[in-house]
Amino acid sequence: MKKIIIHSVPIVISFMWLIETCRALNPFTLKGPGFLKFYLLLLLGFYFSVFILKLLKETISKTTLYVMLFIFVVGIIKLIRGILLGKPVGFLIIILISECIVILLFRLFHVKNEIKK
């Protein structure tokens, strides 16, 4: 339960930022810079929560990986929407590639920890 609460804090904060600054509830309707700010706030907040869990000596659970995949899917949906509208999506592609690398590293360390146990 503690992990879910810690992971939900950055999601709530990023959506509160979205409502307060952009006056929108749907992040997919934002223009490029607004969405990138929202997405980076969401992503960095989530990785900060993972860092806090590591400091508390908690293990990275499947919940963490599911939230990572949820954030990745949000980026993919916006990428597809941007490509269909003919908008430049270079920064988003770079962020998604780096996010893929981080997800693979988390999976690698998760599997390594499972083998040790």
Side-chain angles (χ1 to χ4, degrees):
M1 187 67 173
K2 179 171 55 173
K3 293 176 188 177
I4 294 173
I5 292 172
I6 290 175
H7 288 319
S8 65
V9 168
I11 294 172
V12 169
I13 289 173
S14 61
F15 273 97
M16 284 175 38
W17 176 86
L18 180 69
I19 293 168
E20 185 63 31
T21 59
C22 300
R23 306 279 188 243
L25 291 174
N26 187 358
F28 303 114
T29 59
L30 295 177
K31 301 271 184 195
F35 179 78
L36 284 177
K37 288 177 189 174
F38 164 76
Y39 195 68
L40 285 175
L41 183 66
L42 180 65
L43 197 61
L44 294 176
F46 174 73
Y47 288 141
F48 184 70
S49 70
V50 170
F51 181 70
I52 288 176
L53 283 176
K54 288 301 243 178
L55 285 177
L56 296 174
K57 307 262 193 260
E58 294 284 333
T59 59
I60 295 176
S61 64
K62 289 187 178 189
T63 306
T64 305
L65 295 172
Y66 291 144
V67 174
M68 288 174 80
L69 288 175
F70 168 74
I71 294 171
F72 184 73
V73 167
V74 167
I76 292 293
I77 291 171
K78 185 63 177 181
L79 177 70
I80 292 170
R81 187 163 190 261
I83 290 173
L84 290 176
L85 294 174
K87 302 291 182 180
V89 290
F91 287 119
L92 186 56
I93 289 175
I94 292 170
I95 293 169
L96 289 172
I97 289 171
S98 63
E99 192 175 351
C100 280
I101 293 169
V102 170
I103 289 173
L104 290 175
L105 288 174
F106 271 113
R107 286 296 294 168
L108 177 69
F109 290 124
H110 183 69
V111 169
K112 219 182 231 187
N113 288 340
E114 290 294 322
I115 292 173
K116 287 181 182 177
K117 291 180 183 180

